[in-house]
Amino acid sequence: MSRIKELERRRTFGIVSHPDAGKTTLTEKLLLFGGAIQSAGAVKSNKIKKHATSDFMEIEKQRGISVATSVMAFEYRDRKVNILDTPGHKDFAEDTFRTLTAVDSVIVVIDVAKGVEAQTEKLVEVCRMRKTPIIVFINKMDREGKDGFDLLDEIENKLKLKVVPLSWPAGMGQRFKGVYNKYKEDLVLFNPHGKQSEDVVKINDLNDPILDEKIGESLANELREEVNVIEEVYPDFDRDAYLNGDQSPVFFGSAVNNFGVKELLDCFVEIAPSPLPRETEERMVKPEEEDFTGFIFKIHANMDPKHRDRIAFMRICSGLFERNTNYLHIRKEKKIKFSNPTAFMAEKKEVVDMAYPGDIVGLYDSGNFKIGDTLTEGEKLHFKGIPSFSPEQFRFVNNSDPLKTKQLAKGLVQLMDEGVAQLFTKQDNGRKIIGTVGALQFDVIQYRLKHEYGASCDYEPINLHKACWIKCDDPVAYKEFISKRKRDLAHDKDGKVVMLAESSWALKMAQDNHPKVEFLFTSEVD
Ligand code: G4P
């Protein structure tokens, strides 16, 4: 198959949801359809159980699982589908944001009873910023939940998505009888224990009495009315609008009962985008370009402390990636080749000889890569990623074993390269501050420093509200700001200047006193 055909048949996406909405269950059902796994229960949930939020052994266990489930690839109807795993736990939101840089579309799972939850709002906001095409799957229709129209309103208001229902439920919970598939004009009858394929009724006209026969007169009339309303209120599905991120198709189903999942997948492989062009600081890179380009969006340390190497996950953006071929590592300005690039499947991994745009390969790395690094055949490009966000929690980090100073420094750098947290160095006294999104990472860092680097650290509280990256085009105003605020300044890992604000009031004061200085909550200063 030609390179262009190969890339056109790729569908690389992520499933995002608030924990417990059903992401793992849906992933598993998709993999079953794709034949990538043979039995339910094969995909281990990568969520950190609620009761174990400070148990780092649990985190270690999850980390092992999440290497295996980083990318789950399968073939379906002549498409190569790549599902990228995203952690649902809010403390790992940055990992999810970074993974979203490597997908071409997303499926958002919403629990019909809970509606739009906090974590979903945040993740969808990032997708909207990037204009990522979104399909919504409303899950757990076998349970009592919110009214369908109320839910659509909630999605429009909270997620700011323009929705187009492509399927509509007949009842819910105890009364749930099935889903009318507007897209295909058929009614799929719900039978929790039956085989779905036998229960599809073709309905070209909703007035057909067969509808009353199948789901009862009262529910049939309800469905007719509701579908009428949908047709009046919501626009027709427009694929271009979906691809531009301006319209989001909505499906209903029940993942655990494997209901509505096939309809979702069938529609997904038809409408979801093949690999999209990606922006670099220099120019747009199109997937069909002949020369290979790719970027690292995730780094995973080896679970075995005897082997210090890590796996860097690379998204291929253009051209053809080949094993044992020299590629330019732009930041390091050196050529590297890879003898065992690895493709991750659901339950297995294998060495690949070549890979196409949209594919993710795992590269064994002994410390060459940082998140965001670009590889090319020679052109000096830098893919734009998701910037770092201001952390929410801060602590001073101290060395508690003076004999292991070097190990601590190395461990901290490598963990920061992996994106576990952010490290700031105070300008006045050189003290190091770790900033994280959630409290969990502090335990992760301490534990991993000990087990992987033999170093010990302890933390000291520090009262900080936010870290702001600084931008100022006026050299005089900038100099004045730097000299007046010395005490609050630090450098991030790339040497960018950051102001550590103790409170929102202190930040406001700084803004008022230095009107020519911009205070940014993300590291995207340039
Ligand atoms: P997550 O990855 O988004 O966190 O969610 P996950 O798939 O683990 O699902 C969370 C819970 O919701 C699981 O139950 C799962 O079985 C259930 N679930 C998923 N889809 C449906 C559905 O369509 N209907 C109903 N009624 N439940 C659904 P659990 O009790 O937390 O875990 P388990 O012991 O069943 O694995």
Side-chain angles (χ1 to χ4, degrees):
M1 204 182 289
S2 74
R3 187 171 55 81
I4 302 294
K5 282 228 167 78
E6 279 290 356
L7 80 89
E8 278 172 351
R9 70 185 199 96
R10 263 127 179 106
R11 299 286 180 273
T12 302
F13 78 107
I15 304 180
V16 300
S17 72
H18 194 88
D20 271 349
K23 182 171 71 81
T24 312
T25 314
L26 178 64
T27 306
E28 185 169 278
K29 301 299 173 190
L30 294 174
L31 293 174
L32 281 168
F33 276 117
I37 54 171
Q38 301 332 323
S39 59
V43 179
K44 301 280 182 306
S45 171
N46 77 347
K47 68 188 162 183
I48 292 165
K49 298 283 178 204
K50 281 170 235 113
H51 59 265
T53 44
S54 61
D55 179 348
F56 38 73
M57 279 321 289
E58 181 72 12
I59 296 166
E60 279 299 286
K61 217 167 71 202
Q62 298 300 341
R63 214 154 60 82
I65 293 167
S66 80
V67 174
T69 60
S70 284
V71 189
M72 291 160 282
F74 64 90
E75 298 267 340
Y76 185 75
R77 287 183 29 198
D78 201 28
R79 299 281 194 278
K80 162 112 188 272
V81 181
N82 294 316
I83 308 182
L84 271 55
D85 194 30
T86 56
H89 195 286
K90 70 173 174 30
D91 285 10
F92 294 90
E94 287 231 19
D95 288 352
T96 300
F97 293 149
R98 284 190 290 258
T99 299
L100 293 176
T101 62
V103 302
D104 297 302
S105 70
V106 301
I107 294 180
V108 175
V109 183
I110 291 175
D111 180 328
V112 67
K114 297 200 176 130
V116 175
E117 294 173 90
Q119 193 61 8
T120 315
E121 261 180 82
K122 273 200 191 157
L123 294 170
V124 169
E125 195 181 324
V126 172
C127 296
R128 258 197 349 261
M129 259 163 44
R130 302 176 57 83
K131 292 197 142 287
T132 308
I134 297 174
I135 293 179
V136 178
F137 182 72
I138 297 180
N139 191 29
K140 307 197 184 180
M141 290 306 297
D142 58 315
R143 287 208 185 147
E144 296 304 327
K146 299 191 179 188
D147 167 75
F149 289 107
D150 290 347
L151 211 46
L152 292 183
D153 283 350
E154 190 176 327
I155 295 170
E156 293 216 323
N157 293 333
K158 287 197 179 161
L159 300 182
K160 300 182 184 66
L161 298 178
K162 291 216 162 35
V163 295
V164 183
L166 288 189
S167 78
W168 193 255
M172 73 164 63
Q174 297 278 333
R175 286 178 75 227
F176 183 51
K177 283 284 187 308
V179 162
Y180 173 62
N181 189 342
K182 255 186 94 222
Y183 191 63
K184 288 265 151 50
E185 293 193 324
D186 55 29
L187 178 74
V188 190
L189 294 171
F190 179 57
N191 176 0
H193 309 295
K195 279 208 183 102
Q196 210 191 110
S197 53
E198 292 163 13
D199 297 328
V200 180
V201 187
K202 192 84 202 151
I203 299 195
N204 296 327
D205 177 3
L206 275 175
N207 290 319
D208 192 330
I210 190 160
L211 191 63
D212 306 78
E213 199 183 295
K214 291 287 179 189
I215 62 173
E217 201 184 315
S218 108
L219 212 51
N221 286 335
E222 222 172 87
L223 181 66
R224 287 181 184 114
E225 257 172 52
E226 289 177 348
V227 171
N228 258 341
V229 175
I230 293 171
E231 279 165 2
E232 273 170 31
V233 174
Y234 295 99
D236 285 340
F237 172 64
D238 172 349
R239 183 164 183 237
D240 288 336
Y242 157 67
L243 292 178
N244 284 332
D246 293 331
Q247 206 185 62
S248 294
V250 178
F251 287 85
F252 293 81
S254 166
V256 80
N257 289 296
N258 203 5
F259 187 80
V261 178
K262 186 170 181 299
E263 288 67 30
L264 173 73
L265 180 60
D266 282 339
C267 179
F268 171 81
V269 292
E270 241 172 70
I271 68 170
S274 52
L276 297 171
R278 290 198 134 61
E279 226 179 312
T280 67
E281 281 165 22
E282 293 77 11
R283 65 181 183 85
M284 208 65 165
V285 170
K286 297 204 186 87
E288 55 276 13
E289 287 177 23
E290 208 158 303
D291 286 353
F292 155 78
T293 62
F295 68 91
I296 307 294
F297 65 94
K298 171 170 172 163
I299 294 178
H300 224 296
N302 201 314
M303 297 294 292
D304 179 355
K306 283 190 234 95
H307 299 278
R308 191 58 69 69
D309 59 349
R310 312 184 288 179
I311 303 169
F313 289 86
M314 176 178 64
R315 149 101 195 193
I316 296 167
C317 299
S318 68
L320 177 66
F321 170 83
E322 288 178 285
R323 186 177 161 205
N324 281 328
T325 304
N326 271 311
Y327 293 118
L328 182 64
H329 182 320
I330 301 291
R331 182 176 55 85
K332 292 240 160 168
E333 297 182 347
K334 71 172 182 186
K335 295 243 173 181
I336 311 187
K337 65 179 170 190
F338 305 95
S339 48
N340 333 305
T342 304
F344 290 83
M345 313 301 258
E347 281 176 303
K348 56 183 196 298
K349 53 182 187 177
E350 59 184 32
V351 172
V352 282
D353 288 322
M354 50 182 78
Y356 298 88
D359 284 341
I360 310 298
V361 284
L363 306 173
Y364 287 95
D365 168 44
S366 50
N368 275 317
F369 289 118
K370 271 190 195 186
I371 284 171
D373 277 342
T374 300
L375 284 162
T376 72
E377 287 190 21
E379 188 178 352
K380 298 238 162 72
L381 297 173
H382 300 83
F383 280 99
K384 285 191 175 174
I386 285 205
S388 301
F389 294 83
S390 173
E392 310 274 321
Q393 310 211 13
F394 301 85
R395 291 186 202 169
F396 277 123
V397 53
N398 295 324
N399 184 4
S400 43
D401 182 352
L403 296 175
K404 298 283 166 65
T405 307
K406 263 195 196 157
Q407 285 86 336
L408 180 71
K410 183 171 179 195
L412 279 176
V413 167
Q414 293 209 346
L415 293 182
M416 299 308 130
D417 285 353
E418 265 181 53
V420 176
Q422 295 182 57
L423 187 68
F424 303 103
T425 309
K426 289 262 292 167
Q427 282 195 359
D428 55 353
N429 56 16
R431 289 194 72 183
K432 299 213 179 310
I433 294 170
I434 289 180
T436 66
V437 176
L440 263 181
Q441 273 93 341
F442 289 109
D443 292 339
V444 175
I445 292 168
Q446 215 165 29
Y447 179 83
R448 289 190 54 193
L449 282 172
K450 183 141 204 75
H451 287 82
E452 291 168 36
Y453 300 90
S456 302
C457 75
D458 53 52
Y459 301 116
E460 214 178 290
I462 174 170
N463 190 20
L464 286 179
H465 163 66
K466 279 267 176 322
C468 302
W469 282 264
I470 299 301
K471 188 176 177 184
C472 183
D473 296 330
D474 180 334
V476 178
Y478 184 66
K479 211 168 156 201
E480 190 195 328
F481 168 76
I482 296 287
S483 74
K484 289 220 165 124
R485 286 279 160 181
K486 220 175 253 154
R487 222 177 54 94
D488 303 324
L489 297 183
H491 283 118
D492 74 0
K493 65 179 188 325
D494 301 319
K496 289 181 182 164
V497 175
V498 171
M499 186 183 108
L500 302 170
E502 278 177 13
S503 60
S504 53
W505 183 80
L507 178 59
K508 169 121 193 359
M509 285 292 287
Q511 284 166 326
D512 289 349
N513 292 337
H514 302 278
K516 289 190 174 158
V517 174
E518 276 182 73
F519 299 79
L520 307 169
F521 294 114
T522 75
S523 65
E524 212 159 50
V525 181
D526 310 317

